[in-house]
Amino acid sequence: MIRLFLLLFIFFIACSDINSGWSVSGGGYMNLRINDTKAYTDSILGEWNHSDELKLDIHPDDGNVKLRPNKHFVTFLGKNDDGDRLQIMVYKPELGMNRPQTNINYTYLILGNSNPARIIDADSSYVKFDQRDTIWSADLRLIFNHCYGENCDSTRVIISGRMRYWVDPDDR
């Protein structure tokens, strides 16, 4: 009898984390690429530098998707432990192509604790939602200026990839 109780106890402890994923607790991710083009980096060696990967987490409280009659926007903030951040705001989101807000207070990119970069090409930047209910998912293409430390210039930094956010169960 004790063995059966012990076996059941171990089974319940082992299975306790099965439903603790993001789809249950809310949150999401951004899997992104920086400058997703082949860039010639060394004319002597002839090496090609492929795009850099950027993986950001969206914590449950870092997505704001609850639309109400007096609120017509959604925001998502992805971040990682390296100090990288991407915040996106979309006004009146709909399935398909959306333009992100270009104000640096609402949409910005921070790479490695640098100054926030702003969108410099609004016409070529988009958030393309293909799901917008309990899961928000979108393809992203955002063009920012380049910032390093406290200096920014007009060099283009293209962020492209995929975002998914599961709505916090309390907000459903």
Side-chain angles (χ1 to χ4, degrees), residues 17-143:
D17 288 335
I18 287 176
N19 288 326
S20 67
W22 289 8
S23 62
V24 173
S25 60
Y29 62 85
M30 295 177 181
N31 287 335
L32 307 169
R33 292 173 303 282
I34 302 172
N35 295 327
D36 191 24
T37 57
K38 290 183 179 179
Y40 192 71
T41 58
D42 190 334
S43 60
I44 297 172
L45 297 176
E47 294 177 1
W48 289 91
N49 181 16
H50 297 280
S51 66
D52 293 322
E53 298 287 323
L54 184 62
K55 298 192 183 298
L56 305 174
D57 292 326
I58 306 171
H59 297 283
D61 294 335
D62 289 337
N64 186 348
V65 297
K66 193 171 184 180
L67 297 173
R68 300 180 299 273
N70 61 345
K71 180 182 163 271
H72 304 286
F73 63 88
V74 294
T75 59
F76 304 94
L77 172 62
K79 52 191 172 185
N80 64 20
D81 293 336
D82 296 332
D84 303 323
R85 292 172 171 258
L86 174 60
Q87 179 168 300
I88 304 166
M89 177 189 227
V90 175
Y91 184 69
K92 292 188 179 180
E94 57 187 38
L95 291 177
M97 298 293 268
N98 294 267
R99 297 283 175 229
Q101 290 296 305
T102 57
N103 185 316
I104 196 165
N105 294 319
Y106 304 119
T107 301
Y108 60 84
L109 172 68
I110 298 174
L111 295 175
N113 295 313
S114 68
N115 274 350
R118 61 181 172 78
I119 290 184
I120 59 171
D121 188 348
D123 293 334
S124 298
S125 295
Y126 63 81
V127 177
K128 184 178 179 185
F129 288 110
D130 53 43
Q131 192 170 3
R132 198 192 85 145
D133 45 45
T134 58
I135 297 176
W136 288 67
S137 59
D139 292 324
L140 305 174
R141 178 171 162 63
L142 306 166
I143 302 173

